[in-house]
């Protein structure tokens, strides 16, 4: 289900599950409505979350079934997660992840790209107090230029989480390269790597502006 791209790095994981690929295609279609886009991102995010958390450790616990007792696997309680949404489009992925892992803690980082310079401006930052005891999953649907993701992880590193993963829906080769240059130790999880960026930093063929499509703002 999960493969690594040899051209990029061992730490770029393309999650190629057929359900994810099918839903992503529906999301790419220009005629897909806001409601449908939102529902699809929610569904895809649950599937992506399943892969991103594949390495979570488990421990055995004694339980009683109606028939007998057994040692049964549960998530190790000391392996706590924090999911950080890069606002605003990250919210769409966050909601899906929380459906699967309702007790995960949540952080938010608000960043936007200045449209003329494509540089990143921070306008919001809030994390749980115990982030140092948690593994962090940073989420944003689009890894385009990589500027936002790089800036977010630069900032989040200062909070010293136990580990960081970056999860997106769609990535551009340029964004992956940039991110990997600055944060080579942070694994990237994505459903697809598209062809390239356009001159405005949008992914081609892509799906347009994920925030606008998610919230119906255009
Ligand atoms: N952000 C988006 O929402 N879409 C892109 O194609 C690039 C960045």
């Amino acid at each position: 289900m999960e493969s690594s791209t040899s051209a990029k790095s061992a730490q770029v994981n393309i999650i190629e599950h057929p359900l994810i690929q099918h839903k992503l295609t529906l999301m790419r279609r220009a005629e897909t409505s806001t409601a449908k886009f939102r529902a699809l991102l929610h569904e895809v995010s649950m599937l992506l979350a399943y892969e991103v958390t594949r390495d979570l450790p488990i421990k055995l616990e004694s339980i009683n079934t109606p028939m007998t007792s057994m040692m049964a696997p549960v998530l190790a309680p000391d392996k706590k997660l924090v999911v950080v949404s890069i606002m605003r489009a990250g919210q769409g992925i966050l909601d899906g992840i929380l459906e699967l892992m309702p007790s995960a803690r949540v952080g938010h980082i608000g960043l936007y790209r200045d449209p003329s310079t494509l540089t990143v401006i921070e306008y919001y930052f809030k994390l749980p107090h115990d982030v140092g005891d948690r593994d962090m999953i940073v989420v944003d649907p689009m890894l385009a230029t990589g500027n936002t993701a790089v800036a977010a992880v630069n900032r989040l590193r200062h909070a010293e989480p136990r580990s960081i993963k970056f999860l997106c829906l769609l990535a551009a080769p340029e964004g992956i390269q940039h991110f990997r240059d600055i944060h080579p130790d942070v694994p990237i999880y994505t459903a697809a790597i598209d062809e390239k960026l356009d001159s405005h930093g949008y992914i081609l063929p892509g799906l347009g502006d994920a925030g606008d499509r998610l919230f119906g703002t255009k």
Side-chain angles (χ1 to χ4, degrees):
M1 186 176 191
E2 189 174 296
S3 66
S4 298
T5 50
S6 52
K8 316 286 184 253
S9 145
Q11 296 222 23
V12 180
N13 304 290
I14 306 173
I15 305 169
E16 292 174 318
H17 192 287
L19 285 174
I20 294 178
Q21 296 305 317
H22 179 80
K23 289 174 192 294
L24 174 57
T25 298
L26 296 177
M27 295 178 75
R28 289 180 186 276
R29 288 191 168 154
E31 67 271 23
T32 297
S33 69
T34 296
K36 187 73 187 159
F37 186 93
R38 192 178 297 152
L40 285 163
L41 183 55
H42 192 86
E43 291 166 17
V44 169
S45 301
M46 285 195 279
L47 297 167
L48 294 173
Y50 174 86
E51 276 303 323
V52 154
T53 54
R54 182 175 277 279
D55 59 355
L56 280 181
I58 55 170
K59 72 175 186 84
L60 293 179
E61 185 174 282
S62 172
I63 64 160
N64 298 314
T65 76
M67 308 299 289
T68 185
S69 59
M70 69 175 286
M71 296 301 286
V74 291
L75 289 173
D78 58 327
K79 206 65 179 151
K80 296 182 288 187
L81 289 177
V82 55
V83 184
V84 178
S85 164
I86 300 181
M87 291 154 68
R88 66 185 163 145
Q91 205 63 31
I93 296 193
L94 175 67
D95 291 344
I97 294 184
L98 289 180
E99 182 137 336
L100 209 61
M101 294 179 292
S103 54
R105 296 299 188 263
V106 175
H108 286 93
I109 180 164
L111 301 168
Y112 69 90
R113 289 192 304 174
D114 182 297
S116 50
T117 62
L118 300 185
T119 54
V120 177
I121 320 272
E122 180 182 311
Y123 64 90
Y124 189 80
F125 189 80
K126 188 86 180 174
L127 292 180
H129 66 93
D130 60 349
V131 81
D133 299 330
R134 294 180 180 273
D135 293 296
M136 182 178 279
I137 304 172
V138 183
V139 300
D140 190 351
M142 310 298 271
L143 179 58
T145 61
N147 290 342
T148 306
V150 164
V153 174
N154 279 342
R155 182 77 161 86
L156 291 164
R157 273 190 192 284
H158 289 125
E160 299 183 350
R162 285 200 301 211
S163 69
I164 306 181
K165 292 176 177 174
F166 184 82
L167 171 64
C168 60
L169 177 66
L170 211 51
E174 298 91 327
I176 289 177
Q177 189 63 57
H178 181 39
F179 189 85
R180 300 288 302 136
D181 286 347
I182 312 287
H183 298 298
D185 57 323
V186 176
I188 297 170
Y189 293 79
T190 184
I193 301 175
D194 272 10
E195 201 184 318
K196 60 178 180 182
L197 296 178
D198 74 4
S199 58
H200 302 288
Y202 279 85
I203 297 177
L204 292 176
L207 49 72
D209 188 299
D212 282 340
R213 296 205 63 190
L214 182 61
F215 297 112
T217 40
K218 206 161 197 175

